[in-house]
Amino acid sequence: MNKQERNAMFALAKGWILEAGESIRKRLYDPLTIDTKSDANDLVTSMDKDTEYYFINNIKHVYPNHLIMSEEGYGDDVRTFDGTVWIIDPIDGTMNFVHQQRNFAISIGVYHNGVGEIGLIYDVIGDNLYSAKKGEGAFKNEFGLSRLSHDKSIYESILGMNHFWLCNNRFVHEKKMQELVRTVRGVRTYGSAAIEFAFVAEGVIDGYMAMRLSPWDIAAGIIIVDEAGGLTTTAFGDPIELLRGTSVLTCNPSIHKPIIHDYTRQGRK
């Protein structure tokens, strides 16, 4: 993808994500239809579906040959990253959306032949847009995000982690995760992978780890964190494969090796 094509696509995607966010804010307290998917905590609302359908219509109208991978099932059956693929989460943090009306985001990642070209994460309630284009740095609204420092100590770090799998984890021994929690300065849970990726890029937190995420949870965040100077792999240090669910560690590069070598690999079940 050349720069002109990327810029034109970015302008459209930015307009769409801001318009979708405005629509959500206007309808925030409207009655919702709420269903469950895989279990009672895996929620989907009519707003998720309406927002995803809005993106599908717009993208297919302008780019009929592009593929779309999306959470709620309106997209394509994507089995390859050949060509251009949009990866969309209409509301990342649906439980927060239902219960709190905050800490949720719209997430769009655009990949061309497997390369991340455009990442957009929109914190709807905060009205903050995190964005990145390949090779052009990461931004929060119109302000460039500084490159992440490479001299961060794990002992001074704050991590985003899901407390549930600290005590019930089929991937890593709980004792190793609890040891990691005791080692770092603090642990936070925001309930939205997209927002936690954005916070890593901004330096609000120094890393975020999860054991099971879908492509739409992380596609945009990987691009934004990379452009901010961060590093994203699986929780065990392997390359991310976006065609399937995966564990994730996205973080300041200086704490990546200590987490992988001293905690997740040693504790791997």
Side-chain angles (χ1 to χ4, degrees):
M1 182 182 297
N2 63 45
K3 185 173 182 179
Q4 184 176 1
E5 292 172 327
R6 185 164 54 243
N7 286 344
M9 199 175 300
F10 178 87
L12 285 171
K14 179 180 177 181
W16 293 335
I17 203 169
L18 293 176
E19 187 172 358
E22 176 64 19
S23 176
I24 290 172
R25 284 194 297 271
K26 287 180 178 178
R27 299 170 55 195
L28 194 60
Y29 299 106
D30 288 357
L32 282 174
T33 300
I34 304 171
D35 298 311
T36 60
K37 294 186 286 187
S38 62
D39 58 52
N41 294 324
D42 188 8
L43 305 180
V44 60
T45 72
S46 51
M47 191 79 79
D48 293 81
K49 296 176 180 179
D50 291 349
T51 303
E52 181 169 299
Y53 192 68
Y54 164 84
F55 285 116
I56 301 293
N57 271 345
N58 280 289
I59 294 165
K60 288 296 187 181
H61 178 74
V62 180
Y63 302 109
N65 296 322
H66 289 188
L67 295 178
I68 303 170
M69 181 186 294
S70 52
E71 181 172 16
E72 308 310 338
Y74 292 120
D76 301 298
D77 181 14
V78 178
R79 302 190 180 188
T80 174
F81 273 89
D82 294 341
T84 302
V85 180
W86 297 63
I87 307 177
I88 298 171
D89 195 337
I91 298 180
D92 183 76
T94 300
M95 189 178 293
N96 288 348
F97 170 70
V98 170
H99 287 273
Q100 305 170 356
Q101 289 79 51
R102 64 185 67 250
N103 285 335
F104 62 90
I106 306 171
S107 177
I108 300 174
V110 182
Y111 286 71
H112 183 71
N113 292 331
V115 176
E117 297 281 350
I118 296 168
L120 295 162
I121 294 172
Y122 186 39
D123 170 8
V124 174
I125 300 303
D127 191 22
N128 289 312
L129 178 65
Y130 297 84
S131 66
K133 290 181 279 185
K134 183 177 179 293
E136 298 186 31
F139 293 80
K140 178 183 181 182
N141 300 321
E142 305 304 321
F143 300 97
L145 298 177
S146 300
R147 301 284 289 183
L148 297 177
S149 167
H150 281 243
D151 59 359
K152 193 79 177 183
S153 164
I154 191 170
Y155 303 102
E156 301 171 334
S157 299
I158 295 177
L159 297 184
M161 301 175 77
N162 184 325
H163 295 124
F164 174 75
W165 55 259
L166 290 175
C167 56
N168 184 19
N169 191 342
R170 63 189 178 94
F171 300 98
V172 183
H173 286 286
E174 292 83 358
K175 288 184 178 179
K176 269 295 171 185
M177 291 295 93
Q178 291 162 14
E179 184 182 334
L180 175 59
V181 168
R182 289 193 295 269
T183 299
V184 298
R185 178 166 282 171
V187 174
R188 302 289 183 268
T189 299
Y190 295 95
S192 164
I195 284 180
E196 301 199 61
F197 265 86
F199 284 176
V200 170
E202 189 178 0
V204 174
I205 57 177
D206 302 296
Y208 167 61
M209 183 160 52
M211 287 299 158
R212 191 68 178 176
L213 292 175
S214 298
W216 40 81
D217 298 317
I218 63 177
I222 290 172
I223 300 167
I224 295 170
V225 168
D226 181 68
E227 287 295 321
L231 178 62
T232 305
T233 66
T234 71
F236 306 102
D238 303 314
I240 295 285
E241 295 182 22
L242 275 175
L243 284 176
R244 57 186 178 86
T246 183
S247 64
V248 167
L249 171 62
T250 187
C251 61
N252 186 304
S254 60
I255 66 171
H256 183 268
K257 186 175 179 179
I259 293 174
I260 296 293
H261 283 234
D262 297 339
Y263 300 98
T264 59
R265 280 184 180 165
Q266 285 191 25
R268 191 169 194 171
K269 288 182 177 178

Short mmCIF file of all heavy atoms in Angstrom, two decimals, residues 188-251:
data_model
loop_
_atom_site.label_atom_id
_atom_site.label_comp_id
_atom_site.label_asym_id
_atom_site.label_seq_id
_atom_site.Cartn_x
_atom_site.Cartn_y
_atom_site.Cartn_z
N ARG A 188 -3.40 -3.09 37.08
CA ARG A 188 -4.68 -2.43 36.82
C ARG A 188 -5.51 -3.30 35.87
O ARG A 188 -4.96 -4.03 35.05
CB ARG A 188 -4.46 -1.06 36.16
CG ARG A 188 -3.59 -0.10 36.98
CD ARG A 188 -4.33 0.40 38.21
NE ARG A 188 -3.54 1.37 38.95
CZ ARG A 188 -2.71 1.08 39.95
NH1 ARG A 188 -2.57 -0.19 40.33
NH2 ARG A 188 -2.03 2.03 40.57
N THR A 189 -6.82 -3.17 35.98
CA THR A 189 -7.74 -3.83 35.07
C THR A 189 -8.75 -2.81 34.55
O THR A 189 -9.44 -2.18 35.34
CB THR A 189 -8.49 -4.98 35.76
OG1 THR A 189 -7.55 -5.95 36.22
CG2 THR A 189 -9.46 -5.66 34.80
N TYR A 190 -8.81 -2.65 33.23
CA TYR A 190 -9.72 -1.67 32.63
C TYR A 190 -10.90 -2.32 31.91
O TYR A 190 -11.89 -1.65 31.63
CB TYR A 190 -8.96 -0.77 31.66
CG TYR A 190 -7.92 0.09 32.35
CD1 TYR A 190 -6.59 -0.32 32.43
CD2 TYR A 190 -8.27 1.29 32.96
CE1 TYR A 190 -5.64 0.45 33.08
CE2 TYR A 190 -7.32 2.07 33.61
CZ TYR A 190 -6.01 1.64 33.66
OH TYR A 190 -5.07 2.40 34.31
N GLY A 191 -10.81 -3.59 31.58
CA GLY A 191 -11.94 -4.29 30.98
C GLY A 191 -12.11 -4.08 29.50
O GLY A 191 -13.13 -4.44 28.92
N SER A 192 -11.10 -3.49 28.84
CA SER A 192 -11.14 -3.30 27.39
C SER A 192 -9.72 -3.44 26.87
O SER A 192 -8.85 -2.61 27.18
CB SER A 192 -11.69 -1.92 27.03
OG SER A 192 -11.39 -1.59 25.68
N ALA A 193 -9.47 -4.49 26.09
CA ALA A 193 -8.12 -4.70 25.55
C ALA A 193 -7.68 -3.52 24.69
O ALA A 193 -6.52 -3.12 24.74
CB ALA A 193 -8.10 -5.99 24.73
N ALA A 194 -8.60 -2.96 23.92
CA ALA A 194 -8.25 -1.84 23.05
C ALA A 194 -7.76 -0.65 23.88
O ALA A 194 -6.74 -0.02 23.54
CB ALA A 194 -9.44 -1.43 22.19
N ILE A 195 -8.46 -0.33 24.94
CA ILE A 195 -8.05 0.79 25.79
C ILE A 195 -6.72 0.49 26.46
O ILE A 195 -5.85 1.37 26.58
CB ILE A 195 -9.15 1.11 26.81
CG1 ILE A 195 -10.30 1.86 26.10
CG2 ILE A 195 -8.61 1.94 27.98
CD1 ILE A 195 -11.45 2.25 26.98
N GLU A 196 -6.50 -0.75 26.86
CA GLU A 196 -5.24 -1.08 27.51
C GLU A 196 -4.08 -1.01 26.52
O GLU A 196 -2.98 -0.56 26.88
CB GLU A 196 -5.36 -2.44 28.19
CG GLU A 196 -6.50 -2.41 29.24
CD GLU A 196 -6.45 -3.51 30.28
OE1 GLU A 196 -5.47 -3.57 31.03
OE2 GLU A 196 -7.42 -4.28 30.36
N PHE A 197 -4.27 -1.40 25.29
CA PHE A 197 -3.25 -1.21 24.26
C PHE A 197 -2.96 0.29 24.09
O PHE A 197 -1.79 0.70 24.00
CB PHE A 197 -3.71 -1.79 22.92
CG PHE A 197 -3.24 -3.18 22.65
CD1 PHE A 197 -3.94 -4.28 23.12
CD2 PHE A 197 -2.09 -3.40 21.92
CE1 PHE A 197 -3.50 -5.58 22.86
CE2 PHE A 197 -1.64 -4.68 21.64
CZ PHE A 197 -2.35 -5.78 22.12
N ALA A 198 -4.01 1.09 24.02
CA ALA A 198 -3.83 2.53 23.86
C ALA A 198 -3.05 3.11 25.03
O ALA A 198 -2.17 3.97 24.85
CB ALA A 198 -5.19 3.22 23.73
N PHE A 199 -3.35 2.64 26.23
CA PHE A 199 -2.64 3.14 27.42
C PHE A 199 -1.17 2.72 27.42
O PHE A 199 -0.31 3.44 27.93
CB PHE A 199 -3.34 2.64 28.68
CG PHE A 199 -4.61 3.37 29.02
CD1 PHE A 199 -5.39 2.97 30.08
CD2 PHE A 199 -5.03 4.48 28.29
CE1 PHE A 199 -6.57 3.65 30.41
CE2 PHE A 199 -6.20 5.16 28.60
CZ PHE A 199 -6.97 4.74 29.67
N VAL A 200 -0.86 1.54 26.88
CA VAL A 200 0.54 1.15 26.73
C VAL A 200 1.25 2.10 25.77
O VAL A 200 2.36 2.58 26.05
CB VAL A 200 0.66 -0.31 26.25
CG1 VAL A 200 2.11 -0.64 25.87
CG2 VAL A 200 0.17 -1.28 27.31
N ALA A 201 0.63 2.40 24.64
CA ALA A 201 1.22 3.32 23.68
C ALA A 201 1.44 4.71 24.27
O ALA A 201 2.45 5.37 23.98
CB ALA A 201 0.34 3.42 22.44
N GLU A 202 0.52 5.12 25.13
CA GLU A 202 0.61 6.45 25.74
C GLU A 202 1.58 6.47 26.91
O GLU A 202 2.05 7.54 27.33
CB GLU A 202 -0.79 6.87 26.20
CG GLU A 202 -0.88 8.31 26.65
CD GLU A 202 -2.30 8.70 27.07
OE1 GLU A 202 -3.21 7.84 27.01
OE2 GLU A 202 -2.48 9.88 27.44
N GLY A 203 1.88 5.29 27.49
CA GLY A 203 2.73 5.22 28.67
C GLY A 203 1.98 5.32 29.97
O GLY A 203 2.58 5.45 31.03
N VAL A 204 0.65 5.26 29.92
CA VAL A 204 -0.17 5.27 31.15
C VAL A 204 0.07 3.99 31.95
O VAL A 204 0.13 4.00 33.17
CB VAL A 204 -1.67 5.42 30.79
CG1 VAL A 204 -2.55 5.28 32.03
CG2 VAL A 204 -1.90 6.77 30.12
N ILE A 205 0.17 2.87 31.24
CA ILE A 205 0.63 1.62 31.83
C ILE A 205 1.83 1.15 31.00
O ILE A 205 2.01 1.57 29.85
CB ILE A 205 -0.47 0.54 31.90
CG1 ILE A 205 -1.05 0.25 30.51
CG2 ILE A 205 -1.55 0.94 32.87
CD1 ILE A 205 -2.09 -0.86 30.50
N ASP A 206 2.62 0.28 31.58
CA ASP A 206 3.86 -0.14 30.91
C ASP A 206 3.72 -1.44 30.15
O ASP A 206 4.58 -1.78 29.33
CB ASP A 206 4.98 -0.25 31.95
CG ASP A 206 5.20 1.06 32.68
OD1 ASP A 206 5.60 2.03 32.02
OD2 ASP A 206 4.91 1.11 33.90
N GLY A 207 2.67 -2.16 30.42
CA GLY A 207 2.42 -3.40 29.71
C GLY A 207 1.02 -3.90 29.96
O GLY A 207 0.35 -3.49 30.91
N TYR A 208 0.57 -4.79 29.07
CA TYR A 208 -0.75 -5.41 29.21
C TYR A 208 -0.61 -6.86 28.77
O TYR A 208 -0.02 -7.16 27.71
CB TYR A 208 -1.77 -4.69 28.34
CG TYR A 208 -3.08 -5.43 28.17
CD1 TYR A 208 -3.88 -5.73 29.27
CD2 TYR A 208 -3.53 -5.83 26.91
CE1 TYR A 208 -5.08 -6.42 29.12
CE2 TYR A 208 -4.72 -6.51 26.75
CZ TYR A 208 -5.49 -6.81 27.86
OH TYR A 208 -6.67 -7.49 27.71
N MET A 209 -1.13 -7.78 29.56
CA MET A 209 -1.05 -9.20 29.25
C MET A 209 -2.41 -9.84 29.40
O MET A 209 -3.13 -9.58 30.36
CB MET A 209 -0.03 -9.89 30.16
CG MET A 209 0.16 -11.35 29.84
SD MET A 209 1.71 -12.05 30.47
CE MET A 209 1.64 -11.58 32.18
N ALA A 210 -2.74 -10.69 28.43
CA ALA A 210 -3.99 -11.46 28.48
C ALA A 210 -3.73 -12.81 27.86
O ALA A 210 -2.88 -12.95 26.98
CB ALA A 210 -5.11 -10.73 27.76
N MET A 211 -4.48 -13.81 28.29
CA MET A 211 -4.22 -15.17 27.84
C MET A 211 -5.12 -15.64 26.70
O MET A 211 -4.83 -16.65 26.08
CB MET A 211 -4.35 -16.13 29.02
CG MET A 211 -3.19 -16.02 29.98
SD MET A 211 -1.62 -16.42 29.19
CE MET A 211 -0.49 -15.59 30.29
N ARG A 212 -6.17 -14.90 26.42
CA ARG A 212 -7.03 -15.35 25.32
C ARG A 212 -7.76 -14.15 24.74
O ARG A 212 -8.74 -13.66 25.32
CB ARG A 212 -8.03 -16.39 25.81
CG ARG A 212 -8.77 -17.10 24.68
CD ARG A 212 -7.84 -18.00 23.88
NE ARG A 212 -8.52 -18.73 22.82
CZ ARG A 212 -7.91 -19.51 21.94
NH1 ARG A 212 -6.60 -19.65 21.99
NH2 ARG A 212 -8.59 -20.14 21.01
N LEU A 213 -7.30 -13.65 23.60
CA LEU A 213 -7.94 -12.54 22.92
C LEU A 213 -8.17 -12.90 21.45
O LEU A 213 -7.45 -13.72 20.89
CB LEU A 213 -7.11 -11.27 23.02
CG LEU A 213 -6.98 -10.65 24.41
CD1 LEU A 213 -6.03 -9.45 24.37
CD2 LEU A 213 -8.33 -10.21 24.96
N SER A 214 -9.16 -12.26 20.85
CA SER A 214 -9.48 -12.47 19.44
C SER A 214 -8.80 -11.41 18.58
O SER A 214 -8.37 -10.37 19.09
CB SER A 214 -10.99 -12.41 19.25
OG SER A 214 -11.63 -13.44 19.97
N PRO A 215 -8.70 -11.64 17.28
CA PRO A 215 -8.02 -10.68 16.41
C PRO A 215 -8.56 -9.26 16.51
O PRO A 215 -7.79 -8.29 16.51
CB PRO A 215 -8.24 -11.26 15.01
CG PRO A 215 -8.39 -12.73 15.22
CD PRO A 215 -9.09 -12.87 16.54
N TRP A 216 -9.89 -9.11 16.61
CA TRP A 216 -10.46 -7.77 16.66
C TRP A 216 -10.16 -7.05 17.97
O TRP A 216 -10.25 -5.84 18.04
CB TRP A 216 -11.98 -7.83 16.43
CG TRP A 216 -12.64 -8.97 17.11
CD1 TRP A 216 -13.02 -9.05 18.42
CD2 TRP A 216 -12.97 -10.24 16.53
NE1 TRP A 216 -13.57 -10.27 18.69
CE2 TRP A 216 -13.56 -11.03 17.56
CE3 TRP A 216 -12.84 -10.78 15.25
CZ2 TRP A 216 -14.01 -12.33 17.32
CZ3 TRP A 216 -13.29 -12.07 15.03
CH2 TRP A 216 -13.86 -12.83 16.05
N ASP A 217 -9.78 -7.79 19.01
CA ASP A 217 -9.41 -7.16 20.27
C ASP A 217 -8.07 -6.43 20.17
O ASP A 217 -7.82 -5.48 20.91
CB ASP A 217 -9.28 -8.20 21.40
CG ASP A 217 -10.59 -8.92 21.70
OD1 ASP A 217 -11.63 -8.24 21.75
OD2 ASP A 217 -10.56 -10.15 21.88
N ILE A 218 -7.19 -6.89 19.29
CA ILE A 218 -5.79 -6.47 19.34
C ILE A 218 -5.24 -5.88 18.04
O ILE A 218 -4.16 -5.30 18.04
CB ILE A 218 -4.89 -7.66 19.75
CG1 ILE A 218 -4.96 -8.79 18.72
CG2 ILE A 218 -5.29 -8.16 21.14
CD1 ILE A 218 -4.04 -9.98 19.03
N ALA A 219 -5.97 -6.04 16.92
CA ALA A 219 -5.41 -5.69 15.62
C ALA A 219 -4.98 -4.23 15.53
O ALA A 219 -3.87 -3.91 15.07
CB ALA A 219 -6.41 -6.01 14.51
N ALA A 220 -5.83 -3.32 15.96
CA ALA A 220 -5.49 -1.90 15.92
C ALA A 220 -4.40 -1.58 16.93
O ALA A 220 -3.46 -0.83 16.65
CB ALA A 220 -6.73 -1.05 16.19
N GLY A 221 -4.52 -2.16 18.13
CA GLY A 221 -3.57 -1.86 19.19
C GLY A 221 -2.15 -2.24 18.84
O GLY A 221 -1.20 -1.54 19.19
N ILE A 222 -1.97 -3.37 18.15
CA ILE A 222 -0.63 -3.79 17.76
C ILE A 222 0.05 -2.71 16.93
O ILE A 222 1.23 -2.37 17.13
CB ILE A 222 -0.69 -5.12 16.98
CG1 ILE A 222 -1.08 -6.27 17.91
CG2 ILE A 222 0.64 -5.41 16.31
CD1 ILE A 222 -1.35 -7.57 17.19
N ILE A 223 -0.68 -2.14 15.98
CA ILE A 223 -0.12 -1.12 15.10
C ILE A 223 0.23 0.13 15.89
O ILE A 223 1.31 0.72 15.72
CB ILE A 223 -1.11 -0.78 13.96
CG1 ILE A 223 -1.40 -2.04 13.13
CG2 ILE A 223 -0.59 0.34 13.09
CD1 ILE A 223 -2.58 -1.90 12.19
N ILE A 224 -0.66 0.55 16.77
CA ILE A 224 -0.44 1.78 17.54
C ILE A 224 0.73 1.63 18.50
O ILE A 224 1.59 2.50 18.60
CB ILE A 224 -1.74 2.19 18.27
CG1 ILE A 224 -2.82 2.54 17.25
CG2 ILE A 224 -1.49 3.38 19.20
CD1 ILE A 224 -4.21 2.72 17.84
N VAL A 225 0.78 0.50 19.21
CA VAL A 225 1.89 0.27 20.14
C VAL A 225 3.21 0.19 19.39
O VAL A 225 4.24 0.74 19.83
CB VAL A 225 1.65 -1.01 20.97
CG1 VAL A 225 2.92 -1.43 21.72
CG2 VAL A 225 0.51 -0.79 21.96
N ASP A 226 3.21 -0.48 18.25
CA ASP A 226 4.44 -0.58 17.46
C ASP A 226 4.94 0.80 17.04
O ASP A 226 6.14 1.09 17.13
CB ASP A 226 4.18 -1.45 16.23
CG ASP A 226 5.42 -1.61 15.37
OD1 ASP A 226 6.37 -2.27 15.83
OD2 ASP A 226 5.45 -1.08 14.24
N GLU A 227 4.03 1.66 16.60
CA GLU A 227 4.42 3.00 16.17
C GLU A 227 4.85 3.88 17.34
O GLU A 227 5.55 4.87 17.14
CB GLU A 227 3.28 3.66 15.39
CG GLU A 227 3.08 3.08 13.99
CD GLU A 227 4.26 3.33 13.07
OE1 GLU A 227 4.85 4.43 13.13
OE2 GLU A 227 4.61 2.42 12.29
N ALA A 228 4.45 3.50 18.56
CA ALA A 228 4.89 4.23 19.75
C ALA A 228 6.21 3.69 20.31
O ALA A 228 6.70 4.18 21.33
CB ALA A 228 3.81 4.17 20.83
N GLY A 229 6.74 2.66 19.66
CA GLY A 229 8.01 2.09 20.10
C GLY A 229 7.87 0.91 21.03
O GLY A 229 8.86 0.47 21.62
N GLY A 230 6.66 0.37 21.16
CA GLY A 230 6.44 -0.78 22.01
C GLY A 230 6.61 -2.09 21.26
O GLY A 230 6.96 -2.11 20.08
N LEU A 231 6.34 -3.17 21.96
CA LEU A 231 6.55 -4.51 21.41
C LEU A 231 5.36 -5.38 21.78
O LEU A 231 4.91 -5.38 22.93
CB LEU A 231 7.84 -5.10 21.99
CG LEU A 231 8.23 -6.52 21.59
CD1 LEU A 231 8.47 -6.62 20.09
CD2 LEU A 231 9.48 -6.96 22.36
N THR A 232 4.86 -6.15 20.81
CA THR A 232 3.73 -7.05 21.05
C THR A 232 4.06 -8.44 20.55
O THR A 232 4.46 -8.62 19.40
CB THR A 232 2.46 -6.55 20.34
OG1 THR A 232 2.17 -5.21 20.75
CG2 THR A 232 1.27 -7.44 20.69
N THR A 233 3.91 -9.44 21.42
CA THR A 233 4.06 -10.85 21.08
C THR A 233 2.97 -11.63 21.80
O THR A 233 2.13 -11.05 22.48
CB THR A 233 5.43 -11.40 21.53
OG1 THR A 233 5.48 -11.38 22.97
CG2 THR A 233 6.57 -10.57 20.96
N THR A 234 3.00 -12.95 21.69
CA THR A 234 2.18 -13.74 22.58
C THR A 234 2.74 -13.60 24.00
O THR A 234 3.84 -13.07 24.20
CB THR A 234 2.18 -15.23 22.20
OG1 THR A 234 3.46 -15.80 22.51
CG2 THR A 234 1.86 -15.43 20.73
N ALA A 235 2.02 -14.10 24.97
CA ALA A 235 2.49 -14.02 26.36
C ALA A 235 3.75 -14.84 26.58
O ALA A 235 4.41 -14.69 27.62
CB ALA A 235 1.39 -14.50 27.30
N PHE A 236 4.11 -15.67 25.60
CA PHE A 236 5.29 -16.52 25.72
C PHE A 236 6.41 -16.09 24.77
O PHE A 236 7.40 -16.80 24.61
CB PHE A 236 4.90 -17.98 25.49
CG PHE A 236 3.77 -18.41 26.38
CD1 PHE A 236 2.48 -18.50 25.89
CD2 PHE A 236 3.98 -18.68 27.73
CE1 PHE A 236 1.42 -18.88 26.71
CE2 PHE A 236 2.93 -19.04 28.56
CZ PHE A 236 1.66 -19.14 28.05
N GLY A 237 6.23 -14.94 24.13
CA GLY A 237 7.28 -14.37 23.31
C GLY A 237 7.25 -14.74 21.84
O GLY A 237 8.15 -14.39 21.09
N ASP A 238 6.22 -15.45 21.40
CA ASP A 238 6.13 -15.87 20.00
C ASP A 238 5.41 -14.80 19.17
O ASP A 238 4.65 -13.99 19.69
CB ASP A 238 5.36 -17.19 19.90
CG ASP A 238 6.00 -18.29 20.71
OD1 ASP A 238 7.24 -18.44 20.63
OD2 ASP A 238 5.28 -19.00 21.45
N PRO A 239 5.62 -14.80 17.84
CA PRO A 239 4.90 -13.85 16.99
C PRO A 239 3.39 -14.05 17.06
O PRO A 239 2.90 -15.17 17.21
CB PRO A 239 5.43 -14.17 15.58
CG PRO A 239 6.74 -14.86 15.80
CD PRO A 239 6.58 -15.63 17.08
N ILE A 240 2.67 -12.95 16.93
CA ILE A 240 1.20 -13.00 16.94
C ILE A 240 0.69 -13.52 15.60
O ILE A 240 1.16 -13.11 14.54
CB ILE A 240 0.62 -11.60 17.20
CG1 ILE A 240 0.98 -11.11 18.60
CG2 ILE A 240 -0.89 -11.58 16.98
CD1 ILE A 240 0.21 -11.76 19.72
N GLU A 241 -0.29 -14.42 15.64
CA GLU A 241 -1.00 -14.86 14.44
C GLU A 241 -2.44 -14.34 14.54
O GLU A 241 -3.21 -14.81 15.37
CB GLU A 241 -0.98 -16.38 14.33
CG GLU A 241 0.42 -16.96 14.14
CD GLU A 241 0.40 -18.48 13.99
OE1 GLU A 241 -0.67 -19.02 13.63
OE2 GLU A 241 1.43 -19.10 14.24
N LEU A 242 -2.78 -13.42 13.66
CA LEU A 242 -4.05 -12.72 13.79
C LEU A 242 -5.25 -13.49 13.22
O LEU A 242 -6.38 -13.01 13.35
CB LEU A 242 -3.96 -11.36 13.11
CG LEU A 242 -3.39 -10.21 13.95
CD1 LEU A 242 -3.24 -8.95 13.12
CD2 LEU A 242 -4.26 -9.95 15.17
N LEU A 243 -5.03 -14.63 12.65
CA LEU A 243 -6.17 -15.38 12.12
C LEU A 243 -6.86 -16.23 13.17
O LEU A 243 -7.86 -16.88 12.89
CB LEU A 243 -5.72 -16.27 10.95
CG LEU A 243 -5.48 -15.54 9.62
CD1 LEU A 243 -4.94 -16.51 8.58
CD2 LEU A 243 -6.75 -14.87 9.11
N ARG A 244 -6.33 -16.22 14.40
CA ARG A 244 -6.96 -17.03 15.45
C ARG A 244 -6.76 -16.35 16.80
O ARG A 244 -6.01 -15.39 16.93
CB ARG A 244 -6.35 -18.43 15.48
CG ARG A 244 -4.85 -18.45 15.69
CD ARG A 244 -4.31 -19.87 15.55
NE ARG A 244 -2.86 -19.93 15.71
CZ ARG A 244 -2.23 -20.03 16.87
NH1 ARG A 244 -2.94 -20.06 17.99
NH2 ARG A 244 -0.92 -20.10 16.92
N GLY A 245 -7.45 -16.85 17.81
CA GLY A 245 -7.29 -16.33 19.15
C GLY A 245 -5.89 -16.59 19.67
O GLY A 245 -5.23 -17.56 19.27
N THR A 246 -5.42 -15.73 20.56
CA THR A 246 -4.04 -15.84 21.01
C THR A 246 -3.87 -15.19 22.38
O THR A 246 -4.68 -14.36 22.79
CB THR A 246 -3.11 -15.15 20.00
OG1 THR A 246 -1.75 -15.31 20.41
CG2 THR A 246 -3.41 -13.66 19.89
N SER A 247 -2.82 -15.58 23.07
CA SER A 247 -2.39 -14.82 24.23
C SER A 247 -1.62 -13.59 23.74
O SER A 247 -1.16 -13.55 22.60
CB SER A 247 -1.49 -15.67 25.14
OG SER A 247 -0.29 -16.02 24.47
N VAL A 248 -1.49 -12.60 24.62
CA VAL A 248 -0.86 -11.34 24.21
C VAL A 248 -0.05 -10.75 25.35
O VAL A 248 -0.50 -10.74 26.50
CB VAL A 248 -1.94 -10.31 23.76
CG1 VAL A 248 -1.33 -8.91 23.64
CG2 VAL A 248 -2.54 -10.72 22.44
N LEU A 249 1.13 -10.26 25.01
CA LEU A 249 1.88 -9.36 25.88
C LEU A 249 2.30 -8.17 25.03
O LEU A 249 3.06 -8.32 24.07
CB LEU A 249 3.12 -10.05 26.46
CG LEU A 249 4.09 -9.13 27.22
CD1 LEU A 249 3.42 -8.49 28.42
CD2 LEU A 249 5.34 -9.89 27.63
N THR A 250 1.78 -7.01 25.36
CA THR A 250 2.20 -5.78 24.68
C THR A 250 2.78 -4.86 25.75
O THR A 250 2.17 -4.68 26.81
CB THR A 250 1.02 -5.11 23.93
OG1 THR A 250 1.52 -4.00 23.17
CG2 THR A 250 -0.08 -4.64 24.86
N CYS A 251 3.96 -4.28 25.48
CA CYS A 251 4.63 -3.60 26.57
C CYS A 251 5.78 -2.73 26.10
O CYS A 251 6.18 -2.76 24.92
CB CYS A 251 5.16 -4.61 27.59
SG CYS A 251 6.38 -5.76 26.94
#
